[in-house]
Structures are given as structure tokens and as C-alpha cells.
Amino acid sequence: MANAPTKTGGIHAPVQPSAELGAIVGNDRLPRSEVISKVWAYIKKHNLQNPANKREILADAHLEKVFGKKSVTMFEMNKHIAAHLKA
């Protein structure tokens, strides 16, 4: 197969975080995959996973602004993050 086109859309497309999400991941345009990685790094650094249920994220003041509530599951998290990203 000839040279495959490089991926520039979807999860690889740079997106702009909102001010609320920017407080966690920075305000530069980033690929969605890197935004998610940085959010997970923040969660782990601040020990925000529920020890009794690792699938639950316990929001601190910064994450609560993104999630809109005190806790979310790791599956809900991406939906809340997506609302804070602009193409």
C-alpha cells in the first residue's frame, strides 16, 4: 500500500480546552488523547480515585468545575471533558 495519509482528525486533532479544563491540562491546543492523559495524570497525582471503587473519580475544586458534580465514573468523565473542548 502506498503512503497512508497521516491522521489529523478525531482523537489526533488539536482541541482548545476551556478555562476550567485549562487549569488542569494547560491552555495550549492539544490532541484529545493528550488531554485525557493529562487529566488522568492529575487524578493520580492528587489521589482522586475512590479507594473502595477505582472506577469512581472524586472531584476536587478544579475537577468539579469540569464535571459539574462531586464525583463521576471513569466512563462518564470523557463526556464531561468533551463539553470543555473546542475544535
Side-chain angles (χ1 to χ4, degrees):
M1 203 165 142
N3 291 336
T6 57
K7 295 190 179 208
T8 57
I11 199 161
H12 302 288
V15 291
Q16 181 65 51
S18 68
E20 294 85 1
L21 185 56
I24 297 165
V25 301
N27 293 310
D28 295 334
R29 292 178 63 81
L30 300 166
R32 288 178 190 268
S33 57
E34 195 169 331
V35 171
I36 299 300
S37 293
K38 287 186 175 216
V39 171
W40 271 110
Y42 180 87
I43 289 167
K44 291 180 185 291
K45 179 181 178 184
H46 296 281
N47 200 27
L48 298 174
Q49 282 181 280
N50 180 346
N53 178 3
K54 295 280 191 184
R55 292 178 293 182
E56 183 180 30
I57 310 303
L58 306 173
D60 64 2
H62 292 292
L63 280 176
E64 192 173 346
K65 291 177 184 175
V66 174
F67 297 158
K69 53 187 178 176
K70 295 265 185 206
S71 69
V72 298
T73 67
M74 63 172 60
F75 306 108
E76 293 176 288
M77 182 178 77
N78 290 337
K79 174 182 73 171
H80 293 290
I81 290 171
H84 284 269
L85 298 173
K86 291 183 189 170

